[in-house]
């Protein structure tokens, strides 16, 4: 069975649009992009479009590659103090001379709609989240939409980044799954993944997860995005698994949810800022 992301994303975006109409004002989203990374440019373009569709006023602040950490922090502080900005994101990855951890710590946690500030991540781990990073939040939306209840299930997360793997594991633990996290030092990956009733893969390696590494009937959520011979593919061998597991496609799976959940976070920031 194929777990399509489109109907889930459409449902969320419709809810966000209705929420914005109810607010009575247009929430402001500031998107900071540094340098000329082509994928970042595309992602930001999609975010600007979806925001406009939902009635959110998104503005891109595009800075040159050579921007210093101090200059970037200065802009972030300015946006922190701008009442028209309800949510702010700094598009990652940053150029190598900038320390992402330090930059993200400059964002006011009340405007941290990417959920990557240590305060937001800490609150998530404590089981009392503020803003949940959009990609793992999107995975939970997919599970919920397709009535895959994580409670009591064995879940395996492959990948341990702050953006996807770690918050994903926290969300699953908070939803009463028994969670295992795998990464590049994990020995015998297949023996771990085969135990999963829910398998989330966020690595960035095409066909890392093969048919014999997945349990029959498992829910497989493929977060990976890889470009192979000009085509987008995930981390899971989709063709080999589409009849054996319930699986998200790439493209058309989690990717659609990431932007929708970001917009959901912007609405939440505006609602809470109003109170
Ligand atoms: P990172 O590169 O930050 O993290 C990758 C993780 O994979 C690391 O924890 C790494 O382990 C682990 N890893 C690497 N090789 C292996 C291996 N052979 N076996 C097991 N684990 C391995 O990536 P992100 O988390 O940011 O993104 C992961 C993927 O998801 C990428 O393809 C990215 O493009 C995609 N993505 C998709 C989004 C969407 O909207 N669909 C949004 C965000 C990301 P270690 O920690 O040991 O190095």
């Amino acid at each position: 069975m194929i777990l399509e992301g489109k109907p889930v994303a459409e449902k969320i975006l419709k809810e966000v649009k209705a929420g914005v109409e109810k607010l009575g004002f247009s929430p402001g989203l500031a998107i900071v992009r540094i340098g000329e990374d082509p994928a970042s440019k595309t992602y930001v373009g999609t975010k600007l479009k979806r925001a406009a569709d939902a009635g959110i006023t998104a503005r891109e602040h595009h800075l040159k590659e050579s921007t210093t950490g101090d200059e970037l922090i200065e802009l972030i502080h300015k946006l922190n103090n701008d009442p028209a900005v309800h949510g702010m994101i700094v598009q990652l990855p940053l150029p190598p001379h900038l320390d992402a951890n330090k930059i993200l710590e400059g964002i006011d946690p009340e405007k941290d709609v990417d959920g990557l500030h240590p305060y937001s991540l800490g609150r998530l781990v404590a089981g009392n989240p503020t803003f949940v990073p959009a990609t793992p939040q999107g995975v939970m939306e997919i599970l919920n939409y397709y009535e895959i209840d994580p409670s009591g299930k064995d879940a395996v997360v492959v990948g341990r980044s702050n953006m996807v793997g770690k918050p994903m594991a926290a969300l699953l633990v908070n939803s009463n799954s028994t969670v295992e996290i795998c990464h590049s030092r994990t020995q015998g990956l297949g023996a771990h993944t085969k135990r999963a009733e829910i398998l989330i893969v966020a690595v960035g390696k095409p066909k890392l997860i093969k048919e014999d590494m997945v349990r029959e009937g498992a829910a497989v959520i493929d977060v990976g995005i890889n470009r192979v011979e000009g085509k987008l593919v995930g981390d899971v061998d989709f063709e080999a698994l589409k009849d054996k597991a319930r699986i998200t496609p790439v493209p058309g799976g989690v990717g659609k949810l990431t932007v929708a959940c970001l917009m959901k976070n912007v609405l939440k920031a505006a609602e809470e800022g109003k109170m």
Side-chain angles (χ1 to χ4, degrees), residues 149-266:
D149 182 3
S151 182
K153 300 260 166 50
D154 286 335
V156 174
V157 179
V158 189
R160 57 174 167 182
S161 69
N162 287 343
M163 201 195 304
V164 191
K166 283 181 190 159
M168 187 72 250
L171 283 166
L172 288 164
V173 167
N174 294 349
S175 298
N176 302 315
S177 286
T178 303
V179 183
E180 191 182 349
I181 307 178
C182 300
H183 44 77
S184 68
R185 308 288 176 91
T186 299
Q187 301 291 313
L189 182 62
H192 296 270
T193 55
K194 211 164 168 121
R195 279 206 289 272
E197 294 171 279
I198 298 175
L199 175 62
I200 318 282
V201 190
V203 171
K205 290 208 157 57
K207 293 199 182 169
L208 175 72
I209 304 297
K210 303 190 171 47
E211 192 268 336
D212 63 353
M213 296 165 79
V214 176
R215 171 176 171 160
E216 181 96 40
V220 181
I221 313 293
D222 189 353
V223 181
I225 300 178
N226 309 287
R227 199 168 283 277
V228 176
E229 290 163 6
K231 270 177 64 184
L232 289 187
V233 298
D235 291 343
V236 178
D237 189 346
F238 178 82
E239 281 307 317
L241 274 157
K242 65 180 191 316
D243 297 323
K244 181 178 179 180
R246 291 166 288 169
I247 183 168
T248 55
V250 179
V254 179
K256 296 237 176 268
L257 268 300
T258 296
V259 181
C261 290
L262 171 66
M263 298 309 147
K264 201 172 161 180
N265 282 350
V266 176

Side-chain angles (χ1 to χ4, degrees), residues 39-113:
S40 291
K41 192 174 173 191
T42 308
Y43 291 142
V44 169
T46 308
K47 288 171 188 176
L48 291 169
K49 229 183 282 159
R50 291 292 161 274
D53 293 345
I56 291 168
T57 305
R59 181 167 166 220
E60 182 183 9
H61 300 262
H62 184 206
L63 305 179
K64 55 185 188 305
E65 185 88 22
S66 60
T67 301
T68 65
D70 286 348
E71 286 166 337
L72 183 51
I73 290 284
E74 197 184 317
L75 171 62
I76 289 171
H77 286 167
K78 210 174 105 201
L79 297 169
N80 282 341
N81 292 320
D82 183 345
V85 173
H86 298 90
M88 173 194 334
I89 67 169
V90 175
Q91 185 67 39
L92 301 176
L94 294 176
H97 67 281
L98 295 170
D99 177 349
N101 286 328
K102 218 162 141 188
I103 300 300
L104 293 173
E105 282 182 31
I107 297 174
D108 179 347
E110 289 188 6
K111 299 190 177 189
D112 179 36
V113 288

